Each structure stands twice: as C-alpha cells, then as structure tokens.
Amino acid sequence: MKKIYLILLALMMVWSMGTMTGCSFGGGSDAPGEEQAPPEIVIAGGGKVTSYSNYAAAVYTEMSDVLEDVKFRTESNSNLVEGLRKVDSKTADITLTQGDLLYYAVNGLYYFNEKKLENLKAMSSCYKVGLQFITMGSFAGTSPADLVGKKILVGEEDSLAAISCGAILQAYGVNEENAEFVYEGAEEAADVLKDGTVDAVFCMGGAPVTSFMKLAITDGIKILPIEGEAADALKAEYPFYLDYTI
C-alpha cells in the first residue's frame, strides 16, 4: 500500500540578489585601456565532504564548461548557515542549502533570530528528501502519534533534523513531556534501533535509506506515515514541506 509522507526541499541553489542580473561580478576593471579581467562567481560549498560539497564541486565544473568567459571559484564553509550569510553579505554569489534553512533565514527564525537575511533568492531546487519515522517491524503503532511514551532518536541538538522532528511530532501531540527525545546523530541509527536502545528514529533521506536497507531485509522495519490533519497543518505553517508518496 502506498503511503503519504512529508518531503523537504533539501538541496537548493541560492544566489545573492543582483548576481547574474546585468551587474558586474567580482573582478574586472573599468580603467580605460586596461584589459578586462573575467568576471568571477564565488560558489560557497559545504565544509566537510558531504552531498553539499560534492554538489558544489559538480556545479563548479558544469558552469565552468558552459560559461567559458566567467571565472568560478569555490569556497568552503564551516556549515550551511555560514554559506547563506556569505551570500547575503555578497562575499559569495551562490551557495547550496536546505529549503527549511532558507525559510528560517529570510524569516529570522532559529539560527537567524537576531538578524534575518534579506538578500537571498532561490535559484533552483536540486533534489528532495523524505522525512521518515522508522521503527522495527514489530512496533505496534501505525502513526507518529503512537510514539507517546517512546524513546525517539531525533538528531543532534539544535540541528535541522531535530527542529523538523520536533515540529512534526508536536503536530501529533508528541513532545518531550510525554516522550523521550534522544539528541544524537544518525550515524548509528540502524544499530541503536535494532538493539532496542531507541524505539524510533527520525530520518531525513531519500527512500530507500541505505543504512536501513540491510535492517529491513534481516529484521523488518516500519515507516510511520505522516498524513492526515497533522500533515496538512504542517504544510500550512511550513511551506517547504510537500507530500511525498513511497
């Protein structure tokens, strides 16, 4: 049976307003008689090697091949927040980010509550990622609402995963007063789910999630659908969520 889940616009290209709209890029010279240096576009990629930094490298290669008269330069970030701030301040022209983080930036929420970023514009949506609550196949529940009283791995504290997980669970009446939230990364999520350390794992990833494929074959897992009135309320409040059918 197909079920509906929420999906996040996970990887987006964002540029600074004014970039590629007829204004000059960095570099170049207006002095008479001087040879014009090629315009430069700075792409702020991810920090450590991730899907973001890999995609930034691919964008760099493709754009360099197409726009031969433009000089491209990549610049690493410590995190996605830094990339957006660089673009907003025009120290970089393009960055890669998540749809939820871009929404928080332009609306002054969470990481940007002291100063919202007003000089950003979405350039394209690159790929989408499903938001999934995964349990063992023996779990009796059929909805995130059934996670009341359970132990849930929600992601690292203050991470985008933890923020999304908290918002979704809240829509189903689940919070830290009636459930136990475990603030850890998802690196060992399949293992801690299998050994019973947690009852459910919140996962941001395209289905099927590689780390859970083996567990699904050997032991069986269940994905709790995010649907109904709770999902409608989430989409109304957070426009970066969309329906996604697995």
Side-chain angles (χ1 to χ4, degrees), residues 15 54 71 167 169:
W15 60 9
N54 291 337
K71 179 182 178 181
L169 289 175

Side-chain angles (χ1 to χ4, degrees), residues 43 45-46 51-64 74 96:
I43 302 174
S51 58
Y52 297 93
S53 59
N54 291 337
Y55 204 97
V59 168
Y60 169 86
T61 299
E62 291 298 321
M63 295 185 78
S64 297
T74 58
L96 300 169

Side-chain angles (χ1 to χ4, degrees), residues 3 7 10 18-20 40 57-58 68 71 87 91 105 125 134 144 152 162 164 178 196 198 219 224 229 231:
K3 291 289 187 178
I7 194 168
T19 300
M20 300 183 184
E40 180 181 73
E68 297 179 354
K71 179 182 178 181
V87 172
T91 56
S125 174
I134 301 176
I152 310 161
S164 286
N178 57 28
V198 298
D219 297 79
L224 306 180
E229 293 182 1

Side-chain angles (χ1 to χ4, degrees), residues 6 10 28 33 85 93 98 115 128 132-133 143 149 174 180-181 203-204 217-218 226:
L6 284 189
R85 286 180 173 150
D93 300 297
Q98 292 187 185
K115 181 182 181 297
K128 303 174 180 67
Q132 306 157 57
F133 287 97
S143 162
V174 182
E180 183 178 350
F181 287 12
C203 178
M204 300 175 68
I217 294 170
T218 59
I226 303 170

Side-chain angles (χ1 to χ4, degrees), residues 105-170:
V106 299
N107 288 283
L109 303 173
Y110 297 108
Y111 313 101
F112 308 94
N113 55 9
E114 293 184 0
K115 181 182 181 297
K116 66 181 179 180
L117 307 185
E118 301 179 342
N119 194 40
L120 303 175
K121 185 174 183 180
M123 181 178 179
S124 67
S125 174
C126 304
Y127 70 77
K128 303 174 180 67
V129 167
L131 307 182
Q132 306 157 57
F133 287 97
I134 301 176
T135 70
M136 295 302 295
S138 57
F139 182 67
T142 58
S143 162
D146 297 319
L147 293 175
V148 169
K150 303 301 181 181
K151 201 170 183 178
I152 310 161
L153 193 154
V154 301
E156 294 181 356
E157 192 167 8
D158 295 326
S159 66
L160 289 171
I163 292 172
S164 286
C165 181
I168 296 170
L169 289 175
Q170 185 65 44

